[in-house]
Amino acid sequence: MRLLNILVLLPLLALLTAPPVCAQVTFGSSGAEGDPFRRQQWRVPSPDTDIVAHSLLFRPPGAGPFRLAVIAHASTQNGLRRAQTPQPEYRALTAFLIARGFAVLVPERLGHGATGGRYVEDQGGCDEADYVRSGRATADEISRALDYLRKQDFIRKEAAVVIGHSAGGWGALALANADPNAISAIIAFAPGRGGHANDEPNKVCAPHTLLAAAAEFGKAARIPVTWLVAANDSYFAPKFSLGLADAFRGSGGKVDFRTLPAAGGEGHWMVEGEAGVKAASGELARGLNLPRSVATKKP
């Protein structure tokens, strides 16, 4: 009898001593609005159902509904650098968009900063880099964040825009096959992967593989892309970037490629600063289909 009691109690004991089940993740706003531009922390879906993507949302005054702009940040293959990355804001670009009536979401992707988790957009080693897979993984993360925000009553359901930077721009190119009614335009600042191979300027990992991947993305592209690169970008120099854009265009993608003036000491980061955004403002307005007079007016 004692043995029987022990056998009955064992499952209960196992249940009581088991580690607690992870709390269900919750999405939406987290905290009050603040300055600038009604800045607010948000949690949006990620490919990992147990992890929320930490994000910043900015909004113009009023109730909306507003057009949505999603900014996809740059990345790095270095895990330590990713973990130490502060939450991206793109303040000057955000100010530009807010002044033109957009709500702006800047989601932090898996494997970065406070979001953490597995880095799903890993391209692999230099010689065997899989740029198609990494770009599509980034596109998936952008798409999940965008789709969640489109369900909010203060966001318009149509005519969103995606603005990607570097690896974020590469993911935006992979997203060009999305519904053009949901996403009306993509603007990519120096899109690519594998730049500064082995930390060497003007060296790209497996450049022919990157060119082939750009062509692959162009095959199914339905959304027009504005492709911008600074004259002094040493990650994806204008000549190489033009080759990528031509590969994307040659397989069916619609691209407006523009080389912008040199910006700061390293043009790859131009979109992160006020001077760079000001230099790109005309092309941004064109890509967003905004009247030029509005785009050049001071906020």
Side-chain angles (χ1 to χ4, degrees), residues 6-52:
I6 292 173
L7 291 175
V8 171
L9 289 172
L10 277 176
L12 179 59
L13 181 63
L15 181 63
L16 292 173
T17 58
V21 177
C22 293
Q24 185 177 7
V25 297
T26 56
F27 305 123
S29 60
S30 175
E33 296 178 7
D35 294 326
F37 312 121
R38 303 172 65 182
R39 181 185 189 274
Q40 190 176 33
Q41 294 280 346
W42 272 64
R43 305 290 185 261
V44 300
S46 81
D48 187 329
T49 56
D50 292 327
I51 298 178
V52 295

Side-chain angles (χ1 to χ4, degrees), residues 73-88 108-124 141 167 193:
H73 61 77
S75 186
T76 173
Q77 283 292 102
N78 186 299
L80 180 59
R81 292 178 190 171
R82 286 198 310 272
Q84 294 175 340
T85 300
Q87 192 160 36
E108 184 181 68
R109 300 192 300 276
L110 283 175
H112 299 82
T115 295
R118 185 171 66 89
Y119 186 49
V120 298
E121 55 193 287
D122 189 350
Q123 69 198 36
E141 296 200 67
R193 300 278 317 204

Side-chain angles (χ1 to χ4, degrees), residues 159-204:
V161 298
V162 174
I163 303 176
H165 174 209
S166 192
W170 187 246
L173 295 181
L175 193 58
N177 63 353
D179 181 358
N181 292 315
I183 302 175
S184 63
I186 288 172
I187 299 176
F189 281 86
R193 300 278 317 204
H196 270 215
N198 300 316
D199 288 329
E200 293 184 38
N202 298 305
K203 185 175 180 181
V204 178

Side-chain angles (χ1 to χ4, degrees), residues 226-245:
T226 299
W227 195 308
L228 305 176
V229 60
N232 62 330
D233 190 312
S234 71
Y235 285 74
F236 307 107
K239 184 178 179 179
F240 181 74
S241 291
L242 178 59
L244 289 175

